[in-house]
Amino acid sequence: MVWIIVILSVLIVTIFFVLGFAFFAYRLVFYVPTKHDENIYAIPDDEQYLSNRDVMIALIKEIDTLEYERVYIKAKDDIKLSARYYHVKDGAPLQIQFPGYKGSSIRDFCGGNKLARELGFNVLLVDQRAHGMSEGHTITFGIKERYDCLSWIDYALERFGKDVSIYLAGVSMGGATVLMASEFNLPTNVHGIVADCPFTTPPAVIKKVCKDMHYNPRIMYPFIYLGALLFGHFKLNSANSAEAVKNTNIPILLIHGEDDKIVPCEMSKEIKNNCNSYSKLYTFPNAGHGISYIIDNVQYKQIATSFFKHCQDKIIE
């Protein structure tokens, strides 16, 4: 009888420990508390960013002075999503932009937003769920966000018409989001996808970051996975950028900094190798995570212009 009590006690303590640590992992990795006013000028205190701080601040200030329309939609799970709409010209193609993990949409697209407007796009700059003005408390690394991408496409079709030319663009987790969404049965007027420094899979990037933080991924990842499942209500391995691109005919442009210390450049190379559709990969020497445009905006613009021209030529065909 004593041994039974001891075994049950150990079992209960173990269960509480596992659940407690899984909850801690969920709060650390996926949970976002009630949001306050974000500082759009906050630049990461990493040397790669600080050395380019003045350029980034100038680009952010430029966007911050532009007129925009704040728009809202409902996600498929009823979360309210928000975006800024920048109107350039009636009848222009629309670029829908998705920022990264715990990122400010204006900061993450301080270069990409400017470039899109210069190239004649109207722009829908999205706040990902649990970011900015969008509702939600759980970041899902593209797994639920890919369905939000579909909701924004539906919004665009309803507002701008069934014939509007749509392009999807994303940075980091936003890049993974649009690539994961690419395998859905997207409308034929989604003409191109641009993914800057995307990751292949949520597990792969999480394990990589764990290792960078000197946590053993073999020990930490099971708790992170369990936390996502029990408290975030999603499976971390249920979506995969590298697999999704095997199932689309939409042209894809991949861009990655060769000195990316967060998402390895090799991940974009793996995605490129899996692409079933027309695809291009360009890497930028000495560029860190998400700042290839900042490092060489001239080359970035040339690459984007060429890609969009290819997409337009394909439409004419």
Side-chain angles (χ1 to χ4, degrees), residues 302-313:
Q302 290 174 346
I303 291 168
T305 301
S306 176
F307 175 74
F308 293 132
K309 183 180 183 303
H310 168 85
C311 295
Q312 290 298 315
D313 290 345

Side-chain angles (χ1 to χ4, degrees), residues 251-254 271-273 275-281 307:
I252 294 173
L253 172 62
L254 298 162
I271 293 168
K272 171 65 174 71
N273 290 337
C275 283
N276 178 61
S277 60
Y278 172 89
S279 61
K280 291 288 185 180
L281 168 63
F307 175 74

Side-chain angles (χ1 to χ4, degrees), residues 21-32 101-102 131 137-141 173 202 205-207 209-210 213 215 220-221 223-225 227-228 234 236:
F21 206 79
F23 181 70
F24 169 77
Y26 163 74
R27 298 278 297 196
L28 179 67
V29 180
F30 308 109
Y31 182 79
V32 178
Y101 173 82
K102 293 187 178 180
H131 293 76
H137 291 288
T138 302
I139 301 171
T140 70
F141 282 72
M173 188 187 80
V205 73
I206 288 172
K207 290 176 183 178
V209 174
C210 282
M213 297 175 68
Y215 295 121
M220 286 297 298
Y221 180 75
F223 291 103
I224 294 172
Y225 181 91
F234 68 98
L236 264 175

Side-chain angles (χ1 to χ4, degrees), residues 176-195:
T177 297
V178 295
L179 293 176
M180 290 177 186
S182 71
E183 68 176 345
F184 294 138
N185 186 25
L186 299 181
T188 56
N189 50 324
V190 176
H191 293 139
I193 295 174
V194 180

Side-chain angles (χ1 to χ4, degrees), residues 3 15 24 41 50 61 63 78 106 120 127 149 172 177 182 187 189 211 225 249-250 255 273 284 290 296 300 309:
W3 284 107
I15 290 172
F24 169 77
Y41 294 99
L50 293 178
K61 283 183 177 179
I63 299 176
D78 288 330
I106 290 181
D127 286 340
C149 183
S172 191
T177 297
S182 71
N189 50 324
K211 188 175 181 180
Y225 181 91
N249 59 1
I250 300 172
I255 292 174
N273 290 337
F284 283 70
D296 191 345
Y300 201 111
K309 183 180 183 303

Side-chain angles (χ1 to χ4, degrees), residues 71 193 232 235 260 265 311:
V71 298
I193 295 174
K235 294 182 179 180
D260 192 326
C265 191
C311 295

